Every structure is written in C-alpha cells, then in structure tokens.
C-alpha cells in the first residue's frame, strides 16, 4: 500500500468530465496542484473512455513531479493503461480507483476495482494468434515488481512498482 503520510491529491472524475474531455480538465484539477502532491488518487467511472483521461491526468502529475525522463514516463503510462483497462474489462463495479505515488526510487501504481467477477488477475501465455492476454506480462516486464490483492469483499487491487531513472531519483534532470 502507499503511505498515507505524504501530501496527496484526490480527484473524482465523472462520466460528464470524460464526455467533455479535454475541456473539462481545467474545471477538474487546478494546474498548480500537482507539484506538491507526491501521491494522487483518481476515482473514475469504469468506462473505456476513462483510460486516456486517466493517462492524461497522470501525465500532468508526472510533469508536476518533474519526472521528465521519457523511458520512465513511457513505462508508467504503459503499466497504468494495462492495469486500468484490465480493471474495467474484468470488474463488475461501476468505478475504478487509481493511486500513484512517488518514493525515493520507484513510482508505485495501484488500480483498485470492486471485483464482482470470478476472474482473478493472472499472467497468461497467449499464443501468437491471440489478440488478448498480454497485459500483465507487459506489466511484469515493465516494472521492478507487481502483484495483486483480492480482498474479503471480492474487490481487487493490482499494483506495480516502476523504477525511477537515476537522474530522477536524485532530483537531477537526466
């Protein structure tokens, strides 16, 4: 779990925000809030259209955290997209919550859904002709660690830790 002692920002995104994106961005999040928030929580409807909105908000948070290393940004956004898409596809819940936080040497991404299906996230080995089933394999290859927790209420959290580039760790632009 992410520490709760860090300064954090919480954003509740509605279907109306998503429908009006990107114009709704300015009414949803003040531009100057990301710099001081080492942790962000995004609560969003479980809609496929929410995935690019979530990526956009996380991209803005990365900017505010001064994480400009393109390799790190690419991996964070890839992992986020895969976890968020899986949560939407396999959850019967109406909302998905994304948490992302910065530690000294990692960015930790958590995606939580209400569950509701008997499917538990697991890595598969799809054949070359199969179109689906590679998401968690991508997450595993793109992160230092990843895992999942299935709670007593059948909700599910899948998380991954993406390493920060050396320059980003020490506050120096690479």
């Amino acid at each position: 779990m992410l520490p709760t002692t860090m300064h954090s920002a919480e954003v509740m995104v509605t279907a109306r925000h998503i429908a009006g994106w990107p114009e709704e961005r300015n009414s949803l999040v003040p531009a100057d809030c990301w710099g001081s928030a080492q942790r962000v929580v995004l609560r969003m409807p479980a809609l496929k259209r929410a995935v690019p909105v979530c990526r956009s908000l996380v991209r803005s948070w990365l900017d505010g955290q001064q994480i400009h290393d393109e390799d790190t940004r690419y991996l964070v956004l890839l992992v986020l997209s895969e976890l968020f898409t899986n949560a939407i596809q396999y959850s019967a819940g109406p909302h998905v919550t994304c948490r992302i936080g910065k530690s000294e040497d990692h960015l930790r991404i958590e995606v939580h859904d209400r569950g509701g299906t008997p499917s538990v996230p697991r890595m598969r080995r799809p054949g070359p002709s199969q179109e689906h089933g590679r998401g968690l394999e991508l997450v595993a290859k793109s992160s230092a660690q990843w895992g999942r927790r299935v709670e007593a209420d059948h909700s599910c959290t899948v998380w991954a830790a993406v390493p920060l580039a050396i320059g980003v760790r020490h506050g120096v632009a690479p």
Side-chain angles (χ1 to χ4, degrees):
M1 285 209 136
L2 292 172
T4 57
T5 57
M6 293 181 183
H7 186 269
S8 65
E10 292 194 29
V11 179
M12 174 67 87
V13 179
T14 66
R16 182 183 58 79
H17 292 123
I18 292 169
W21 201 261
E23 292 79 18
E24 286 288 327
R25 174 199 309 258
N26 295 336
S27 67
L28 188 62
V29 182
D32 61 348
C33 81
W34 298 120
S36 63
Q38 287 186 289
R39 176 178 176 228
V40 66
V41 178
L42 305 170
R43 299 183 200 293
M44 308 186 83
L47 302 169
K48 288 182 183 180
R49 298 183 324 258
V51 178
V53 172
C54 189
R55 273 196 313 262
S56 176
L57 291 169
V58 169
R59 196 176 294 114
S60 294
W61 179 80
L62 291 168
D63 290 344
Q65 294 296 304
Q66 298 184 16
I67 298 172
H68 301 297
D69 176 72
E70 288 302 318
D71 291 336
T72 301
R73 290 170 70 90
Y74 175 80
L75 292 176
V76 166
L77 295 171
L78 174 68
V79 167
L80 172 73
S81 295
E82 293 298 332
L83 295 182
F84 201 93
T85 300
N86 279 354
I88 290 168
Q89 184 173 351
Y90 295 109
S91 175
H95 293 91
V96 174
T97 301
C98 172
R99 294 176 188 88
I100 184 165
K102 182 179 172 184
S103 71
E104 193 170 311
D105 55 356
H106 286 85
L107 291 175
R108 184 169 168 117
I109 303 159
E110 293 185 354
V111 176
H112 179 82
D113 65 66
R114 297 301 305 156
T117 65
S119 178
V120 174
R122 61 180 165 72
M123 200 162 26
R124 300 179 193 170
R125 304 272 184 233
S129 63
Q130 291 177 305
E131 291 185 31
H132 302 286
R134 291 176 181 78
L136 290 178
E137 184 177 3
L138 279 171
V139 169
K141 288 180 179 180
S142 301
S143 59
Q145 293 180 296
W146 78 279
R148 66 177 185 261
R149 290 188 312 272
V150 178
E151 311 296 340
D153 67 355
H154 303 290
S155 64
C156 181
T157 300
V158 183
W159 60 270
V162 175
L164 286 168
I166 297 294
V168 174
R169 291 182 200 172
H170 302 291
V172 178

